[in-house]
Amino acid sequence: MSPSQKAMALRIAMSIPFGFALLILVGAILGGKAIAFAIGWVIMQLIGYGVIVKRYGIDPSQPILASQIAIHWLMMVMLIAILVRAA
């Protein structure tokens, strides 16, 4: 993969958990439950990605960016498992 393709893959990898966090935020607002968690997760992603991208850019060789993406994916998968089990 070329560097531009790797950067695009990282952007997509960052946007999926962020979109899911926004979906959870809407659900929390409409349902009236877990609003603090939903707001906190969105803010945490905005601040985290903002600082990392500002400091390092979208550089596929930066392990801190890859680890942050992995943490958000793990959080998303755990939250989906909790929601599936609760349903």
Side-chain angles (χ1 to χ4, degrees):
M1 284 174 61
S2 70
S4 63
Q5 289 174 330
K6 288 181 183 179
M8 182 57 71
L10 282 177
R11 286 185 182 101
I12 291 170
M14 288 190 303
S15 66
I16 291 172
F18 186 73
F20 183 74
L22 291 177
L23 180 70
I24 293 295
L25 178 60
V26 170
I29 290 171
L30 293 176
K33 297 180 181 176
I35 294 174
F37 167 77
I39 291 171
W41 191 22
V42 171
I43 290 172
M44 184 178 67
Q45 286 190 38
L46 286 174
I47 292 171
Y49 287 144
V51 168
I52 298 296
V53 170
K54 183 178 178 183
R55 180 170 288 177
Y56 299 108
I58 302 287
D59 184 9
S61 67
Q62 284 298 328
I64 192 164
L65 181 61
S67 63
Q68 186 173 12
I69 292 170
I71 288 170
H72 288 298
W73 272 90
L74 179 64
M75 178 74 175
M76 184 178 74
V77 168
M78 287 178 11
L79 187 58
I80 289 172
I82 291 169
L83 292 174
V84 166
R85 183 156 184 173

Coordinates of all heavy atoms in Angstrom, one line a residue:
M1 N 0.8 -1.2 0.0 CA 0.0 0.0 0.0 C 0.9 1.2 0.0 O 1.9 1.3 0.7 CB -0.9 0.0 1.3 CG -2.1 -0.9 1.2 SD -3.0 -1.0 2.7 CE -3.6 0.6 3.0
S2 N 0.4 2.2 -0.7 CA 1.2 3.5 -0.8 C 0.9 4.3 0.5 O -0.1 4.0 1.3 CB 0.7 4.3 -2.0 OG -0.6 4.8 -1.8
P3 N 1.7 5.3 0.8 CA 1.5 6.0 2.1 C 0.1 6.7 2.1 O -0.5 6.8 3.1 CB 2.6 7.1 2.1 CG 3.7 6.4 1.3 CD 3.0 5.6 0.2
S4 N -0.3 7.2 1.0 CA -1.7 7.9 0.9 C -2.8 6.9 1.2 O -3.8 7.2 1.8 CB -1.9 8.6 -0.4 OG -1.9 7.7 -1.5
Q5 N -2.6 5.6 0.7 CA -3.6 4.6 1.0 C -3.6 4.2 2.4 O -4.7 4.0 3.0 CB -3.4 3.4 0.1 CG -3.7 3.6 -1.4 CD -3.3 2.4 -2.2 OE1 -2.3 1.7 -1.9 NE2 -4.0 2.2 -3.3
K6 N -2.4 4.2 3.1 CA -2.3 3.9 4.5 C -3.0 5.0 5.3 O -3.7 4.7 6.3 CB -0.9 3.7 4.9 CG -0.3 2.4 4.4 CD 1.1 2.2 4.9 CE 1.8 1.0 4.3 NZ 3.2 0.8 4.7
A7 N -2.7 6.2 4.9 CA -3.4 7.3 5.6 C -4.9 7.3 5.5 O -5.6 7.5 6.5 CB -2.8 8.6 5.1
M8 N -5.4 6.9 4.3 CA -6.8 6.8 4.2 C -7.4 5.7 5.0 O -8.5 5.8 5.6 CB -7.2 6.6 2.7 CG -8.7 6.6 2.4 SD -9.6 8.0 3.0 CE -9.0 9.2 1.8
A9 N -6.7 4.6 5.1 CA -7.1 3.5 5.9 C -7.2 3.9 7.4 O -8.1 3.5 8.1 CB -6.2 2.3 5.7
L10 N -6.2 4.6 7.8 CA -6.2 5.1 9.2 C -7.4 6.1 9.4 O -8.0 6.0 10.5 CB -4.9 5.8 9.5 CG -3.7 4.9 9.8 CD1 -2.5 5.7 10.1 CD2 -4.0 4.0 11.0
R11 N -7.7 6.9 8.5 CA -8.8 7.8 8.6 C -10.1 7.0 8.7 O -11.0 7.4 9.6 CB -8.9 8.8 7.5 CG -7.8 9.9 7.5 CD -8.0 10.9 6.4 NE -7.0 11.9 6.4 CZ -5.9 11.9 5.6 NH1 -5.8 10.9 4.7 NH2 -5.0 12.8 5.7
I12 N -10.3 6.0 7.9 CA -11.5 5.2 8.0 C -11.5 4.4 9.3 O -12.6 4.3 10.0 CB -11.5 4.2 6.8 CG1 -11.7 5.0 5.5 CG2 -12.6 3.1 7.0 CD1 -11.6 4.2 4.3
A13 N -10.4 3.9 9.8 CA -10.3 3.2 11.1 C -10.6 4.1 12.2 O -11.2 3.7 13.2 CB -8.9 2.6 11.3
M14 N -10.3 5.4 12.1 CA -10.7 6.4 13.2 C -12.1 6.7 13.1 O -12.8 7.0 14.1 CB -9.8 7.6 13.1 CG -8.4 7.4 13.5 SD -7.4 9.0 13.6 CE -7.6 9.7 12.0
S15 N -12.7 6.8 11.9 CA -14.1 7.3 11.8 C -15.1 6.3 12.2 O -16.2 6.7 12.6 CB -14.3 7.8 10.3 OG -14.3 6.7 9.5
I16 N -14.9 5.0 12.1 CA -15.9 4.0 12.4 C -16.2 4.1 13.9 O -17.4 4.2 14.3 CB -15.5 2.6 11.9 CG1 -15.5 2.6 10.4 CG2 -16.4 1.5 12.5 CD1 -15.0 1.3 9.8
P17 N -15.2 4.0 14.8 CA -15.6 4.1 16.3 C -16.2 5.5 16.6 O -17.1 5.6 17.5 CB -14.3 3.9 17.0 CG -13.4 3.2 16.1 CD -13.8 3.6 14.7
F18 N -15.8 6.5 15.9 CA -16.3 7.8 16.2 C -17.8 7.9 15.8 O -18.6 8.5 16.5 CB -15.5 8.9 15.5 CG -15.9 10.3 15.9 CD1 -15.6 10.8 17.2 CD2 -16.6 11.1 15.0 CE1 -16.0 12.1 17.5 CE2 -17.0 12.4 15.4 CZ -16.7 12.9 16.6
G19 N -18.1 7.4 14.6 CA -19.5 7.3 14.2 C -20.3 6.5 15.1 O -21.5 6.9 15.5
F20 N -19.8 5.4 15.6 CA -20.5 4.6 16.6 C -20.7 5.3 17.9 O -21.8 5.2 18.5 CB -19.8 3.3 16.8 CG -20.5 2.3 17.8 CD1 -21.6 1.6 17.3 CD2 -20.0 2.1 19.1 CE1 -22.2 0.7 18.2 CE2 -20.7 1.3 19.9 CZ -21.8 0.6 19.5
A21 N -19.7 6.1 18.3 CA -19.9 6.9 19.5 C -20.9 7.9 19.4 O -21.7 8.2 20.3 CB -18.5 7.5 19.9
L22 N -21.0 8.5 18.2 CA -22.1 9.5 18.0 C -23.5 8.8 18.0 O -24.5 9.4 18.5 CB -21.9 10.2 16.6 CG -20.7 11.2 16.6 CD1 -20.5 11.8 15.2 CD2 -20.9 12.3 17.6
L23 N -23.5 7.6 17.4 CA -24.8 6.9 17.5 C -25.2 6.5 18.9 O -26.4 6.7 19.3 CB -24.6 5.6 16.6 CG -25.8 4.6 16.6 CD1 -26.9 5.3 15.7 CD2 -25.4 3.3 15.9
I24 N -24.2 6.1 19.7 CA -24.5 5.8 21.1 C -25.0 7.1 21.8 O -25.8 7.1 22.7 CB -23.3 5.2 21.8 CG1 -23.0 3.8 21.2 CG2 -23.4 5.2 23.3 CD1 -24.0 2.8 21.5
L25 N -24.3 8.3 21.5 CA -24.7 9.5 22.1 C -26.2 9.9 21.8 O -26.9 10.3 22.7 CB -23.8 10.6 21.6 CG -24.1 12.1 22.1 CD1 -24.0 12.1 23.6 CD2 -23.1 13.1 21.5
V26 N -26.6 9.7 20.5 CA -28.0 10.0 20.1 C -28.9 9.0 20.9 O -29.9 9.4 21.4 CB -28.2 9.8 18.6 CG1 -29.6 9.9 18.2 CG2 -27.4 10.9 17.9
G27 N -28.6 7.7 21.0 CA -29.4 6.8 21.7 C -29.5 7.1 23.2 O -30.5 7.0 23.8
A28 N -28.4 7.6 23.7 CA -28.4 7.9 25.2 C -29.2 9.2 25.4 O -30.0 9.2 26.4 CB -26.9 8.2 25.6
I29 N -29.2 10.1 24.5 CA -30.0 11.3 24.7 C -31.5 11.0 24.5 O -32.3 11.4 25.3 CB -29.6 12.4 23.7 CG1 -28.2 13.0 24.1 CG2 -30.6 13.5 23.7 CD1 -27.6 13.9 23.1
L30 N -31.8 10.2 23.6 CA -33.2 9.8 23.3 C -33.7 8.9 24.5 O -34.9 9.0 24.9 CB -33.4 9.1 22.0 CG -33.1 10.0 20.8 CD1 -33.3 9.2 19.5 CD2 -34.1 11.1 20.7
G31 N -32.9 8.0 25.0 CA -33.3 7.0 26.0 C -33.1 7.6 27.4 O -33.7 7.1 28.3
G32 N -32.3 8.6 27.6 CA -32.1 9.2 28.9 C -31.2 8.4 29.8 O -31.2 8.6 31.0
K33 N -30.4 7.5 29.2 CA -29.5 6.6 30.1 C -28.1 6.7 29.5 O -27.9 6.8 28.3 CB -30.0 5.2 30.0 CG -31.3 5.0 30.7 CD -31.7 3.5 30.6 CE -33.1 3.3 31.2 NZ -33.6 2.0 31.1
A34 N -27.2 6.7 30.4 CA -25.7 6.6 30.0 C -25.3 7.9 29.3 O -24.4 7.8 28.4 CB -25.4 5.4 29.3
I35 N -25.9 9.0 29.5 CA -25.6 10.2 28.8 C -24.2 10.7 29.1 O -23.4 11.0 28.2 CB -26.6 11.3 29.1 CG1 -28.0 10.9 28.6 CG2 -26.2 12.7 28.5 CD1 -29.1 11.9 29.0
A36 N -23.7 10.6 30.4 CA -22.4 11.0 30.7 C -21.3 10.1 30.0 O -20.3 10.7 29.5 CB -22.2 10.9 32.2
F37 N -21.6 8.8 30.0 CA -20.7 7.9 29.3 C -20.6 8.3 27.8 O -19.5 8.4 27.2 CB -21.1 6.5 29.4 CG -20.4 5.6 28.5 CD1 -19.1 5.2 28.8 CD2 -21.0 5.1 27.3 CE1 -18.4 4.3 27.9 CE2 -20.3 4.3 26.4 CZ -19.0 3.9 26.7
A38 N -21.7 8.5 27.2 CA -21.7 8.8 25.7 C -21.1 10.1 25.4 O -20.3 10.2 24.4 CB -23.2 8.8 25.2
I39 N -21.3 11.1 26.2 CA -20.7 12.4 26.0 C -19.2 12.3 26.2 O -18.4 12.8 25.4 CB -21.3 13.5 26.9 CG1 -22.7 13.8 26.4 CG2 -20.5 14.8 26.9 CD1 -23.5 14.7 27.3
G40 N -18.8 11.6 27.3 CA -17.4 11.4 27.6 C -16.6 10.7 26.5 O -15.5 11.1 26.2
W41 N -17.2 9.7 25.9 CA -16.5 8.9 24.9 C -16.3 9.8 23.7 O -15.2 9.7 23.1 CB -17.3 7.6 24.6 CG -16.5 6.7 23.7 CD1 -15.2 6.6 23.6 CD2 -17.1 5.6 22.9 NE1 -14.8 5.6 22.8 CE2 -16.0 5.0 22.3 CE3 -18.3 5.2 22.6 CZ2 -16.2 3.9 21.5 CZ3 -18.5 4.1 21.8 CH2 -17.4 3.5 21.2
V42 N -17.3 10.5 23.3 CA -17.1 11.4 22.1 C -16.0 12.5 22.4 O -15.2 12.7 21.5 CB -18.5 12.1 21.7 CG1 -18.3 13.1 20.7 CG2 -19.4 11.0 21.2
I43 N -16.1 13.1 23.5 CA -15.1 14.1 23.9 C -13.7 13.5 24.0 O -12.7 14.1 23.5 CB -15.5 14.8 25.2 CG1 -16.7 15.7 25.0 CG2 -14.3 15.7 25.7 CD1 -17.3 16.3 26.2
M44 N -13.6 12.3 24.6 CA -12.3 11.6 24.7 C -11.7 11.4 23.3 O -10.5 11.6 23.0 CB -12.4 10.3 25.4 CG -11.1 9.6 25.6 SD -11.3 8.1 26.6 CE -12.2 7.0 25.4
Q45 N -12.5 11.0 22.3 CA -12.0 10.7 21.0 C -11.6 12.0 20.3 O -10.6 12.1 19.6 CB -13.1 10.0 20.1 CG -13.2 8.6 20.5 CD -14.1 7.8 19.5 OE1 -14.1 8.0 18.4 NE2 -14.9 6.9 20.1
L46 N -12.5 13.1 20.4 CA -12.1 14.3 19.8 C -10.8 14.9 20.3 O -9.9 15.3 19.5 CB -13.2 15.4 20.1 CG -14.5 15.2 19.3 CD1 -15.6 16.2 19.7 CD2 -14.3 15.3 17.8
I47 N -10.6 14.9 21.6 CA -9.4 15.4 22.2 C -8.2 14.5 21.8 O -7.2 15.0 21.4 CB -9.5 15.5 23.7 CG1 -10.5 16.7 24.1 CG2 -8.2 15.8 24.4 CD1 -10.9 16.7 25.5
G48 N -8.4 13.2 22.0 CA -7.3 12.3 21.7 C -6.8 12.3 20.3 O -5.6 12.5 20.0
Y49 N -7.8 12.2 19.4 CA -7.4 12.2 17.9 C -6.9 13.6 17.6 O -5.9 13.7 16.8 CB -8.6 11.9 17.0 CG -8.9 10.4 17.1 CD1 -10.3 10.0 17.0 CD2 -8.0 9.4 17.1 CE1 -10.6 8.7 17.0 CE2 -8.3 8.1 17.1 CZ -9.6 7.7 17.1 OH -10.0 6.4 17.1
G50 N -7.5 14.7 18.1 CA -7.0 16.0 17.8 C -5.6 16.3 18.2 O -4.8 16.8 17.4
V51 N -5.2 15.9 19.4 CA -3.8 16.0 19.8 C -2.9 15.2 19.0 O -1.8 15.7 18.6 CB -3.7 15.7 21.4 CG1 -2.3 15.6 21.8 CG2 -4.5 16.8 22.2
I52 N -3.2 13.9 18.8 CA -2.3 13.0 18.1 C -2.1 13.5 16.7 O -1.0 13.5 16.2 CB -2.8 11.6 18.2 CG1 -2.9 11.1 19.6 CG2 -2.0 10.7 17.3 CD1 -1.6 11.0 20.3
V53 N -3.2 13.8 16.0 CA -3.1 14.2 14.6 C -2.4 15.5 14.5 O -1.6 15.7 13.6 CB -4.5 14.2 13.9 CG1 -4.4 14.9 12.6 CG2 -5.0 12.8 13.8
K54 N -2.6 16.4 15.4 CA -1.9 17.7 15.4 C -0.4 17.6 15.6 O 0.4 18.2 14.9 CB -2.5 18.7 16.4 CG -1.9 20.0 16.4 CD -2.6 20.9 17.5 CE -2.0 22.3 17.5 NZ -2.6 23.1 18.5
R55 N -0.1 16.7 16.5 CA 1.3 16.6 16.8 C 2.1 15.7 15.8 O 3.2 16.0 15.4 CB 1.5 15.9 18.2 CG 3.0 15.7 18.6 CD 3.1 15.4 20.0 NE 2.9 16.6 20.8 CZ 2.9 16.5 22.1 NH1 3.1 15.4 22.8 NH2 2.6 17.6 22.8
Y56 N 1.5 14.6 15.4 CA 2.2 13.6 14.5 C 1.6 13.5 13.1 O 2.3 12.9 12.3 CB 2.1 12.2 15.2 CG 2.8 12.1 16.5 CD1 2.0 12.0 17.7 CD2 4.1 12.2 16.7 CE1 2.6 11.9 18.9 CE2 4.7 12.1 17.9 CZ 3.9 12.0 19.0 OH 4.5 11.9 20.3
G57 N 0.4 14.0 12.9 CA -0.2 13.9 11.6 C -0.7 12.5 11.4 O -0.7 11.7 12.3
I58 N -1.3 12.2 10.3 CA -1.8 10.9 10.0 C -0.6 10.1 9.4 O -0.4 9.9 8.2 CB -2.9 10.9 8.9 CG1 -4.1 11.8 9.4 CG2 -3.4 9.5 8.6 CD1 -4.9 11.2 10.5
D59 N 0.2 9.6 10.3 CA 1.4 8.9 10.0 C 1.2 7.4 10.4 O 1.2 7.1 11.6 CB 2.6 9.5 10.7 CG 3.9 8.8 10.2 OD1 3.9 8.0 9.3 OD2 5.0 9.1 10.9
P60 N 1.1 6.5 9.4 CA 0.9 5.1 9.8 C 2.0 4.5 10.6 O 1.8 3.4 11.3 CB 0.9 4.4 8.4 CG 0.5 5.5 7.4 CD 1.1 6.7 8.0
S61 N 3.2 5.1 10.7 CA 4.3 4.5 11.4 C 4.3 4.9 12.9 O 5.1 4.4 13.7 CB 5.6 4.9 10.8 OG 5.8 6.3 11.0
Q62 N 3.3 5.8 13.3 CA 3.2 6.2 14.7 C 2.5 5.2 15.5 O 1.3 5.0 15.3 CB 2.5 7.6 14.8 CG 3.4 8.7 14.4 CD 4.6 8.9 15.3 OE1 4.6 8.6 16.5 NE2 5.7 9.4 14.7
P63 N 3.2 4.5 16.4 CA 2.5 3.5 17.2 C 1.4 4.1 18.2 O 0.5 3.4 18.5 CB 3.6 2.9 18.0 CG 4.8 3.8 18.0 CD 4.6 4.6 16.7
I64 N 1.6 5.4 18.6 CA 0.6 6.0 19.5 C -0.8 6.1 18.8 O -1.8 5.9 19.4 CB 1.1 7.3 20.1 CG1 0.2 7.7 21.2 CG2 1.2 8.4 19.0 CD1 0.8 8.8 22.1
L65 N -0.7 6.5 17.5 CA -2.0 6.6 16.7 C -2.6 5.2 16.5 O -3.8 5.1 16.7 CB -1.7 7.2 15.4 CG -2.9 7.5 14.5 CD1 -3.9 8.4 15.1 CD2 -2.5 8.0 13.1
A66 N -1.8 4.2 16.2 CA -2.4 2.9 16.0 C -2.9 2.3 17.3 O -4.0 1.7 17.4 CB -1.3 1.9 15.5
S67 N -2.3 2.6 18.5 CA -2.8 2.1 19.7 C -4.0 2.8 20.2 O -4.9 2.2 20.7 CB -1.7 2.2 20.8 OG -1.4 3.6 21.0
Q68 N -4.1 4.1 19.9 CA -5.4 4.8 20.2 C -6.5 4.3 19.4 O -7.6 4.1 19.9 CB -5.2 6.3 20.0 CG -6.4 7.1 20.4 CD -6.2 8.6 20.4 OE1 -5.2 9.1 19.8 NE2 -7.1 9.3 21.0
I69 N -6.3 4.0 18.1 CA -7.4 3.4 17.2 C -7.8 2.1 17.8 O -8.9 1.8 17.9 CB -6.9 3.4 15.8 CG1 -6.7 4.8 15.2 CG2 -7.8 2.5 14.9 CD1 -6.0 4.8 13.9
A70 N -6.8 1.3 18.2 CA -7.1 -0.1 18.7 C -7.9 0.0 20.0 O -8.8 -0.8 20.2 CB -5.8 -0.8 18.9
I71 N -7.6 1.0 20.9 CA -8.3 1.2 22.1 C -9.8 1.5 21.8 O -10.7 1.0 22.4 CB -7.6 2.2 23.0 CG1 -6.4 1.7 23.6 CG2 -8.6 2.7 24.1 CD1 -5.5 2.7 24.3
H72 N -10.0 2.4 20.9 CA -11.4 2.8 20.6 C -12.1 1.6 19.9 O -13.3 1.5 20.1 CB -11.4 4.0 19.7 CG -11.0 5.3 20.5 ND1 -11.8 5.7 21.5 CD2 -10.0 6.1 20.3 CE1 -11.2 6.8 22.0 NE2 -10.1 7.1 21.3
W73 N -11.5 0.8 19.1 CA -12.1 -0.3 18.5 C -12.5 -1.3 19.6 O -13.6 -1.9 19.6 CB -11.2 -1.0 17.4 CG -11.4 -0.4 16.1 CD1 -10.8 0.7 15.6 CD2 -12.4 -0.8 15.1 NE1 -11.3 0.9 14.3 CE2 -12.2 0.1 14.0 CE3 -13.3 -1.8 15.1 CZ2 -13.0 -0.1 12.9 CZ3 -14.1 -1.9 13.9 CH2 -13.9 -1.1 12.8
L74 N -11.6 -1.5 20.5 CA -11.8 -2.5 21.6 C -13.0 -2.0 22.5 O -13.9 -2.8 22.8 CB -10.6 -2.6 22.5 CG -10.7 -3.5 23.7 CD1 -10.9 -4.9 23.3 CD2 -9.4 -3.4 24.6
M75 N -13.0 -0.7 22.7 CA -14.2 -0.1 23.5 C -15.5 -0.3 22.7 O -16.5 -0.7 23.3 CB -13.9 1.4 23.7 CG -15.0 2.1 24.4 SD -14.9 1.7 26.1 CE -16.2 2.7 26.7
M76 N -15.4 -0.1 21.4 CA -16.6 -0.3 20.6 C -17.1 -1.8 20.7 O -18.3 -2.0 20.9 CB -16.4 0.1 19.2 CG -17.6 0.1 18.3 SD -17.3 0.7 16.6 CE -16.4 -0.7 16.0
V77 N -16.2 -2.7 20.5 CA -16.6 -4.1 20.5 C -17.1 -4.5 21.9 O -18.1 -5.3 22.0 CB -15.4 -5.0 20.1 CG1 -15.6 -6.4 20.4 CG2 -15.0 -4.7 18.6
M78 N -16.5 -4.0 23.0 CA -17.0 -4.4 24.3 C -18.4 -3.8 24.5 O -19.2 -4.5 25.1 CB -16.0 -3.9 25.4 CG -14.7 -4.7 25.4 SD -13.4 -4.2 26.6 CE -14.1 -3.0 27.6
L79 N -18.6 -2.6 24.1 CA -19.9 -2.0 24.3 C -21.0 -2.7 23.5 O -22.1 -2.9 23.9 CB -19.9 -0.5 23.9 CG -21.1 0.3 24.1 CD1 -21.4 0.3 25.6 CD2 -20.9 1.7 23.7
I80 N -20.6 -3.1 22.2 CA -21.6 -3.9 21.4 C -21.9 -5.2 22.1 O -23.1 -5.6 22.2 CB -21.0 -4.1 20.0 CG1 -21.0 -2.8 19.2 CG2 -21.8 -5.2 19.3 CD1 -20.3 -2.9 17.9
A81 N -20.9 -5.9 22.7 CA -21.1 -7.1 23.4 C -22.1 -6.9 24.6 O -22.9 -7.7 24.9 CB -19.8 -7.7 23.9
I82 N -21.9 -5.8 25.3 CA -22.7 -5.5 26.5 C -24.1 -5.3 26.0 O -25.1 -5.8 26.6 CB -22.2 -4.3 27.3 CG1 -20.9 -4.7 28.0 CG2 -23.2 -3.8 28.3 CD1 -20.1 -3.6 28.6
L83 N -24.3 -4.5 24.9 CA -25.7 -4.2 24.4 C -26.4 -5.5 23.9 O -27.6 -5.6 24.1 CB -25.6 -3.1 23.4 CG -25.2 -1.7 23.8 CD1 -25.0 -0.8 22.7 CD2 -26.1 -1.2 24.8
V84 N -25.6 -6.3 23.2 CA -26.2 -7.6 22.7 C -26.6 -8.5 23.9 O -27.7 -9.1 23.8 CB -25.2 -8.3 21.8 CG1 -25.7 -9.7 21.5 CG2 -25.1 -7.5 20.5
R85 N -25.8 -8.5 24.9 CA -26.1 -9.4 26.0 C -27.3 -8.9 26.8 O -28.1 -9.6 27.3 CB -24.9 -9.5 26.9 CG -25.2 -10.5 28.1 CD -23.9 -11.0 28.6 NE -24.3 -12.0 29.6 CZ -23.5 -12.8 30.2 NH1 -22.3 -12.8 29.8 NH2 -23.9 -13.6 31.1
A86 N -27.4 -7.5 26.9 CA -28.5 -6.9 27.6 C -29.9 -7.1 26.9 O -30.9 -7.0 27.5 CB -28.2 -5.5 27.9
A87 N -29.8 -7.2 25.6 CA -31.1 -7.3 24.8 C -31.7 -8.6 24.9 O -31.4 -9.6 25.3 CB -30.8 -7.0 23.3

